[in-house]
Amino acid sequence: MAEEKKYTKNEIKIPEELPLLSLKNSVVFPFLATPLIVGRKKSLEAVKSSSKEHKLIVVVAQKEENKEEVGKEDLYDIGTICAIKQVGNISENEIKCIVEGISRVKIEYFTQTEPYFRVTVKVLDEIPLVEDEETYNLNTTVRLQVEKFIQLGIPLPTAFVVAATNISKTEIQTDLFASYLLSSTRQKQQILEESDLKKRLKKLTEYLGEELKRFEVQSQIRDKVQKEVGKTQREYYLRQQLKAIKNELGEFDESTALTKELEKKIHIKKLPREAEAKVLKEIERLESIPVMSPEYSYVRTYVELMLDVPWSEKTKDILDLKKAKKILDGDHYDLEKVKTHILDYLAVRKLKGKTTKGPILCFVGPPGVGKTSLGQSIAKSLGRKFIRMSIGGIRDEAEIRGHRRTYVGALPGRIIQGLTQVGTNNPVFMLDEVDKIGIDYRGDPSSALLEVLDPEQNNSFRDHYLEVPFDLSNVMFITTANILDTIHPALRDRMETIEIPGYSSEEKVHIAEKFLIPKQLKEQGVEKYNVKFNSEAVSIIIEEYTREAGVRNLEREIANICKKIAREIVEGKKYSGVLTDKKVRNYLGVPKILPSEIEDKNRVGVATGLAYTPVGGDILLIESTYYKGGGELILTGKLGDVMQESAKAAISYIHSKAKAFGIDDELFEKSDIHIHVPAGAIPKDGPSAGVAITSSLVSAFTGIPVLRNVGMTGEITLRGRVLPIGGLKEKLLAAKRAGLKKVVLPEKNRKDLDEIPASILKGLKLEFVESIDDVIRHTLERDPLQPVKTENEVKNASGKGLITKQSPDFDTTSTIQ
């Protein structure tokens, strides 16, 4: 601390060269003793060197406070020459020293930078203070500002208060006040750099004014907080007194009335033992929490929600199988597999009673086939409530399990929320779009569903918000998906998958006439005007204006026609009572869909494959050719990795049997092979195109045309085996739409025909094959594995009564006795 009698620059001889100590966030002023903690390597070396020499050191602040390693350009030019009064060790790498400022100095140049700074300095002379009115006013202002600091209750050392009172020299007072009352290192440095004492006083008054404003605001905030706390405490004591008075009078306050009402609800509602204990404990807490406290509303919300959750409430199932079947048949056409499953469940429930666990079903199929509406029909047939929850795109695990109550705004998961909304614990709960669940840093909702959709675990499902187990075994969960591949494997294993394939044109006509047209006539307000669609008109809408596995777009187009008829009725125009194919084209305009066309004649290197897409089946023309080159394989048409591998496997197989097929072995080395699948903008993938690719390549290499009205599908192996495929119904539908007469299928798919409606198989000849050799026999105009007959052999065959002619149905050669 500063005193009246201190070292001066005249009393101490200043050496030409001194060690330099840099400070991070502090400024040392002349005439003041300042304690310093020294820990940086350069600083330690500087203090040690000074202690060994003359115990004098230059102390300078650095420009960037947080910078550890500083160079000479990082230091201010003006500092203070100090005498080291005391040095003591704090630890192995830190020392504490007390320095006493002597005079302001300016660094002229650095004589050394390593291992510590050494500098030559010039002592700065101060411009003395002229005693006048302005000086008097400045001194008075500073004194008043310092008194204001003390009045605001800012903690200041007692030694500072004593020194401020006793020291009369203006230059010492200015440095003392700047050192203790200013918080900014930059402001302190500006006070240090000012050699004119009057200007130094002006700057000090300005900076102290800024500090006072900041402290006054802080003081106001502090007083306001203390006032609010005092007010809250006062209100609490008054409420406690009021509560005691009301108890004496036999009256109850709002909080007591609420807790009694909640306790009454607990006795009425049948809660599980663990849940009841938890709620009673929270009600007990509620009684001790002030009504004005934020925690009161959190606890109250939790208790009320626990009492709203349907722990034991359930609806009674309709166990009349005939009635349930009638409801299912009335709402959906076909889908016999799903209906049978529901009726089987009801039969078991009727025999076994209430202990039957709810099934976990997964409906998989293209968009628009009725997966979601089927869930509503199931709920209706069972006499249960229905909840639909779309989980496509959710990424937060808390959507399923809920948030923990420690978070502000916490809520239970959407499973518990849904059950609370319908008020029963045995609804039909549909989780829509389960194949589109996301995952990120907030957790994996698919993993959270593992417990929900496991019949062995969901009888004790724990929601994070409820904090007690809830029995989900009575809930009938149904999930929907477009594809199975993106569903978590463990989740897929827990569900019973039921595939709902696309509809055939005949099925769509039936659905439109029985369900969609009556529905849209009613919704568009034209049911009273005797509007009818004939079957040809419906077929035109299906074939020329929609291409889908389901009936969503079909319903949309029917709605568009009904809207146009409604407009004609309103405008007083003549409208069509019976809609024909011509009227449909007038209403809907140019056809949107061009049917997939097969080739007009048998061509070399062009095979007709069958593909399965998210919107149903389609045909795929595969083109192959070769030309002189270096044995390169070119694949175009945006083919996926699996399809490219199928093409390579086909070439390897053909190459291995080149001699049997009558193909020159050198062709593979001296030619480039190009395989193209049209509609190049659409990505294509999958192994089932292997058979079609092989047929196309064999045709190209042998020059034998592929039969244009034969479709084919199947995966191939390097040994020439044909493996089974999926999506059989959709592929057969595509073949029928395209006008194909014969379809070549893997032998192992023969068993799947039991699930294909007879209406789809009608008019199609199916050939089942086990090897590529069998495929070639059915897909090319002639079998390249059989030797070509000479003219004499043909004449001899005709002389024996054998006639060879072209079959009008299949464009293939058949021999008739």
Side-chain angles (χ1 to χ4, degrees), residues 682-789:
I682 301 171
K684 309 164 192 75
D685 205 359
S688 64
V691 162
I693 293 172
T694 307
S695 298
S696 173
L697 287 168
V698 171
S699 172
F701 291 144
T702 61
I704 304 171
V706 183
L707 297 173
R708 68 183 185 87
N709 50 13
V710 176
M712 60 204 81
T713 181
E715 182 180 351
I716 62 167
T717 70
L718 277 177
R719 293 181 294 161
R721 293 174 58 230
V722 178
L723 303 182
I725 46 86
L728 182 59
K729 181 182 176 182
E730 287 79 5
K731 290 178 178 180
L732 291 175
L733 280 171
K736 195 165 185 181
R737 278 198 304 267
L740 298 175
K741 301 296 183 184
K742 184 193 287 188
V743 178
V744 177
L745 300 170
E747 176 63 38
K748 290 184 178 179
N749 281 110
R750 188 189 291 271
K751 58 180 173 41
D752 299 326
L753 289 184
D754 295 339
E755 298 180 1
I756 308 296
S759 59
I760 297 176
L761 299 176
K762 188 178 178 181
L764 287 177
K765 184 178 180 182
L766 305 182
E767 297 288 354
F768 293 92
V769 295
E770 293 184 342
S771 67
I772 293 175
D773 295 350
D774 298 334
V775 173
I776 300 302
R777 194 173 298 118
H778 291 292
T779 58
L780 302 190
E781 283 189 355
R782 66 175 180 82
D783 186 357
L785 296 173
Q786 297 295 327
V788 181
K789 292 182 179 180

Side-chain angles (χ1 to χ4, degrees), residues 196-245:
D196 189 326
L197 199 50
K198 182 180 276 191
K199 289 182 180 179
R200 195 185 302 166
L201 267 175
K202 286 181 180 179
K203 284 186 179 180
L204 181 63
T205 55
E206 180 187 342
Y207 295 155
L208 289 178
E210 292 175 5
E211 287 289 322
L212 275 172
K213 285 179 183 177
R214 187 167 64 84
F215 281 121
E216 282 173 351
V217 171
Q218 290 179 356
S219 179
Q220 289 172 5
I221 294 170
R222 188 167 59 251
D223 292 344
K224 190 175 181 181
V225 170
Q226 288 176 348
K227 188 177 179 182
E228 288 294 325
V229 170
K231 184 181 176 183
T232 304
Q233 288 176 341
R234 181 172 172 271
E235 286 180 356
Y236 174 75
Y237 291 132
L238 289 173
R239 286 184 187 281
Q240 291 299 108
Q241 290 176 1
L242 184 63
K243 186 177 178 181
I245 293 168

Side-chain angles (χ1 to χ4, degrees), residues 594-619:
L594 294 174
S596 299
E597 295 182 355
I598 58 176
E599 292 291 314
D600 55 350
K601 64 178 183 178
N602 298 344
R603 296 183 183 275
V604 173
V606 182
T608 307
L610 299 175
Y612 174 71
T613 70
V615 295
D618 202 355
I619 67 167

